[in-house]
Amino acid sequence: LDMVGACNLLGVDVMTGHWEFTYRDDEVIRNVGAFKGDFVAQNVKVREEALFDYRFEDFAGFDEDRGLAFEPYTIKEIGGVKVAVIGQAFPYTPIANPQRFIPDWTFGIQDGRMQEIVDEVRGKESPALVVVLSHNGMDVDLKMASRVTGIDVIFGGHTHDGVPAPSVVENPGGKTLVTNAGSNGKFVGVMDLDVKDGKLRDYRYRLLPVFSNLLEPDAAMVDYIAGVRAPYKDKLEEKLATADELLYRRGNFNGTFDQVICDALLKVHDAQISLSPGFRWGTTVLPGQAITMDNVMDQTCITYPETYRRELRGAEIKAILEDVCDNLFNPDPYVQHGGDMNH
């Protein structure tokens, strides 16, 4: 709940989901309930067999007729303009993350349902703008924008691309702008939209870099973070070593912090080969800087952090690596699951 509190303090109005679903489903429902904004996801459905005795039927976002677990969209009035915001959660959640946490929910890209929702929203709500808040990833968003008509803008995430200008994607019904604003709070994507006669006429987009060391911290947020960290402060600030080179995680294959993690796995498990999913998050450590427990935790702290040692045949290792490559680089974006691999 600490991140929910931070989101509320930050003033997040609308969000969709990805790593939120690596908590147990009852925790997800509790966290979404505590969130003061709107949580939207048109592509999270309750399994047919679970609908007969659904544990969260009292949850406000649940739509029994459609079988959707969360509100698919929300309507906002922004600058006197009516805006529909449709949510698209990470489509491959049960593949990339443990399905056992969320056994009653299905995901997927669901662009057919997205088209139905867009048509319904435009017919019922008559918004001047239809925006999709997406965690598909840039390539998937581009393909979806070419297939689904009636979306003005897709604000995307997942692949962490800092895109300086929107891609303008043509589809049978017009054009859709597709953007992505990096990750880790490095940028703020600012889209100014010019609406006339109930339609998008023009736009201006800026990818603003966030120079956090030049900005005055918000006092209320500083106090909140300090309060959340207080019970763990001494442990988190423990100095474990000193970095002799830049330690980072970013690429699809390997980063220097990934290498430290893989080397540690080799040593601790007395293994010949180590494999680690490259999540591409965590704080970069500069050469000469102390590596703290905080740095280790923000590279490795997930809700299923167990590591394993097992015997594998060469053919199995080859199949794993080829499968990861296929997940990342398949020519069809709709079958790209992510899953960076370091070894």
Side-chain angles (χ1 to χ4, degrees):
L1 280 171
D2 56 351
M3 290 306 297
V4 180
C7 278
N8 290 338
L9 198 55
L10 189 62
V12 175
D13 294 311
V14 190
M15 69 173 290
T16 192
H18 177 204
W19 282 90
E20 289 73 20
F21 296 112
T22 64
Y23 289 86
R24 293 193 312 270
D25 50 9
D26 58 327
E27 295 173 311
V28 176
I29 293 292
R30 189 164 71 246
N31 287 339
V32 171
F35 176 50
K36 291 181 180 176
D38 295 314
F39 186 93
V40 288
Q42 71 86 23
N43 60 328
V44 184
K45 196 169 185 180
V46 181
R47 293 181 186 279
E48 293 286 339
E49 60 271 24
L51 280 172
F52 292 106
D53 189 24
Y54 186 49
R55 291 178 298 137
F56 309 113
E57 62 180 1
D58 295 332
F59 175 66
F62 171 53
D63 182 339
E64 187 173 9
D65 294 335
R66 274 196 177 126
L68 297 184
F70 302 95
E71 296 281 2
Y73 69 90
T74 185
I75 301 294
K76 295 289 181 184
E77 192 87 17
I78 303 170
V81 174
K82 193 175 187 180
V83 180
V85 183
I86 303 172
Q88 176 81 354
F90 178 47
Y92 294 112
T93 290
I95 298 171
N97 306 108
Q99 188 173 2
R100 65 183 184 273
F101 294 163
I102 44 160
D104 293 341
W105 298 336
T106 66
F107 291 75
I109 295 169
Q110 310 294 350
D111 56 8
R113 190 188 307 140
M114 177 65 81
Q115 186 66 72
E116 291 174 11
I117 297 283
V118 171
D119 293 345
E120 175 192 319
V121 165
R122 285 206 175 272
K124 191 165 80 174
E125 306 283 357
S126 299
L129 293 169
V130 172
V131 169
V132 169
L133 197 62
S134 164
H135 211 91
N136 278 334
M138 188 70 179
D139 287 348
V140 179
D141 282 336
L142 291 169
K143 181 172 178 178
M144 190 173 72
S146 73
R147 292 163 63 102
V148 178
T149 64
I151 299 171
D152 292 302
V153 185
I154 299 176
F155 294 117
H158 186 60
T159 42
H160 298 189
D161 301 294
V163 179
S167 295
V168 182
V169 180
E170 295 193 19
N171 53 58
K175 295 178 180 178
T176 298
L177 304 171
V178 180
T179 73
N180 213 293
S183 69
N184 298 75
K186 294 173 185 174
F187 300 99
V188 175
V190 181
M191 178 77 82
D192 294 311
L193 299 169
D194 181 14
V195 177
K196 287 182 182 171
D197 302 323
K199 285 189 175 180
L200 176 62
R201 301 297 180 187
D202 202 359
Y203 69 91
R204 182 185 177 196
Y205 181 74
R206 288 157 294 169
L207 192 63
L208 298 182
V210 177
F211 298 109
S212 56
N213 56 334
L214 300 179
L215 298 172
E216 178 108 16
D218 180 82
M221 186 64 86
V222 169
D223 289 345
Y224 177 78
I225 293 170
V228 168
R229 288 171 58 89
Y232 320 101
K233 186 173 183 292
D234 292 343
K235 186 69 174 173
L236 291 171
E237 293 180 355
E238 180 186 355
K239 293 179 180 178
L240 306 174
T242 301
D244 59 1
E245 63 178 313
L246 187 71
L247 297 180
Y248 65 91
R249 289 176 92 171
R250 178 60 185 93
N252 293 121
F253 289 117
N254 221 19
T256 49
F257 221 128
D258 294 300
Q259 196 59 57
V260 171
I261 291 166
C262 285
D263 289 348
L265 288 169
L266 289 177
K267 189 172 182 66
V268 170
H269 288 302
D270 189 24
Q272 293 171 294
I273 295 173
S274 62
L275 302 172
S276 168
F279 297 127
R280 293 179 293 116
W281 59 35
T283 309
T284 299
V285 183
L286 302 178
Q289 195 173 334
I291 306 169
T292 64
M293 180 58 80
D294 215 351
N295 297 130
V296 173
M297 295 296 281
D298 77 7
Q299 298 284 350
T300 61
C301 188
I302 60 175
T303 53
Y304 49 105
E306 299 84 4
T307 60
Y308 308 93
R309 170 184 150 138
R310 58 175 292 193
E311 290 187 0
L312 290 171
R313 298 173 61 84
E316 293 175 300
I317 296 169
K318 180 174 180 283
I320 289 169
L321 295 177
E322 286 183 346
D323 186 50
V324 171
C325 286
D326 186 56
N327 286 346
L328 284 167
F329 303 116
N330 192 294
D332 183 354
Y334 274 25
V335 293
Q336 293 175 4
H337 299 171
D340 307 314
M341 180 61 74
N342 304 283
H343 58 283

